Amino acid sequence: MGSAKSKAAARRARVEELRRKEAARERRSKQLTYLASAVVVVATAVGGYFIVDSAREDEKAAAAPLKGEQSWDDLEQNHVTEDVDYKMTPAAGGDHDPAWQNCNGDVYDQPIREENAVHSLEHGAVWVTYGDKAKEGDVKTLTERVTNTPYSLMSPHPDQTGVITLSAWGKQLTVEKADDPKVGKFFDKYVQGPQTPEQGAACTGGKEA
């Protein structure tokens, strides 16, 4: 009888020990789950921060001026019929003719009137001009780019000192060669860019030559 009681007590002790071990395993499992969840939350928060921070840095880089770029603020936008004495050559903004120069990828082989071209800049166009020192190959490359880019125009400009000049409203950049990486960046940034006073305004139906 005593032996049976001893065996029963031993079984109960083993069962209690197994229960304690199972409870301990469950506690450890919950702790690991909580820890893993915390790690995921922290990683998500940190990852989100870096994504947002990276986006902000990209925005800052996009807004930053290109090396060598010039800017003019508070330019007048009046329609005038007389010639305008512009602050810069070629003109990159200011009072201008009521008629815009056609700028739907238009390439002109003769100089055009600045007052008409400036009106095109007001509509969000990029105006490519080149001087006498521009090489034939560069002119050809620029012609192809402009021809394939709505809201752009191109013409020779004998009075400019730089070889190749890119102008948008209030923005201007001079480069030596058509394959300068800044050329593409200028187009990407300023064709219908944030500097445009009248975004979406027409680039056709204006002055043809």
Side-chain angles (χ1 to χ4, degrees):
M1 188 74 173
S3 175
K5 290 182 177 179
S6 297
K7 289 180 180 179
R11 283 197 297 272
R12 286 195 298 271
R14 286 197 296 273
V15 169
E16 289 299 321
E17 179 64 20
L18 289 172
R19 287 176 177 172
R20 285 196 296 273
K21 289 182 178 179
E22 181 62 25
R25 281 196 295 270
E26 289 181 359
R27 285 195 298 273
R28 287 195 298 272
S29 178
K30 288 180 179 179
Q31 289 172 348
L32 290 173
T33 300
Y34 293 148
L35 179 60
S37 299
V39 169
V40 169
V41 169
V42 172
T44 301
V46 172
Y49 169 80
F50 281 113
I51 290 172
V52 171
D53 188 59
S54 177
R56 287 174 179 168
E57 290 300 319
D58 290 343
E59 288 177 1
K60 288 180 181 178
L66 300 172
K67 186 177 180 180
E69 179 186 307
Q70 293 181 282
S71 296
W72 295 268
D73 298 319
D74 301 323
L75 295 169
E76 297 291 335
Q77 292 177 242
N78 301 307
H79 286 181
V80 297
T81 55
E82 66 271 12
D83 293 343
V84 179
D85 184 15
Y86 289 106
K87 299 177 181 179
M88 69 298 284
T89 302
D95 291 342
H96 48 271
D97 195 271
W100 58 87
Q101 193 76 34
N102 282 343
C103 48
N104 191 34
D106 292 270
V107 175
Y108 303 93
D109 58 8
Q110 296 296 323
I112 59 179
R113 190 166 181 260
E114 289 192 315
E115 288 77 7
N116 300 105
V118 169
H119 196 155
S120 302
L121 303 186
E122 186 185 41
H123 289 190
V126 165
W127 181 23
V128 179
T129 55
Y130 55 94
D132 297 335
K133 295 180 181 179
K135 295 182 179 179
E136 184 177 345
D138 287 331
V139 173
K140 181 179 179 181
T141 297
L142 292 167
T143 296
E144 292 175 355
R145 177 181 288 277
V146 170
T147 300
N148 290 289
T149 306
Y151 284 95
S152 71
L153 68 163
M154 177 175 165
S155 68
H157 197 297
D159 295 330
Q160 72 179 43
T161 56
V163 179
I164 298 165
T165 301
L166 310 175
S167 301
W169 183 270
K171 308 293 181 182
Q172 195 165 82
L173 176 71
T174 296
V175 296
E176 298 293 319
K177 297 180 179 180
D179 61 0
D180 189 312
K182 293 193 292 294
V183 172
K185 292 178 180 179
F186 193 94
F187 269 78
D188 292 341
K189 191 173 184 179
Y190 293 127
V191 169
Q192 284 291 290
Q195 85 295 338
T196 305
E198 297 181 5
Q199 284 187 336
C203 242
T204 58
K207 187 176 180 182
E208 296 183 356

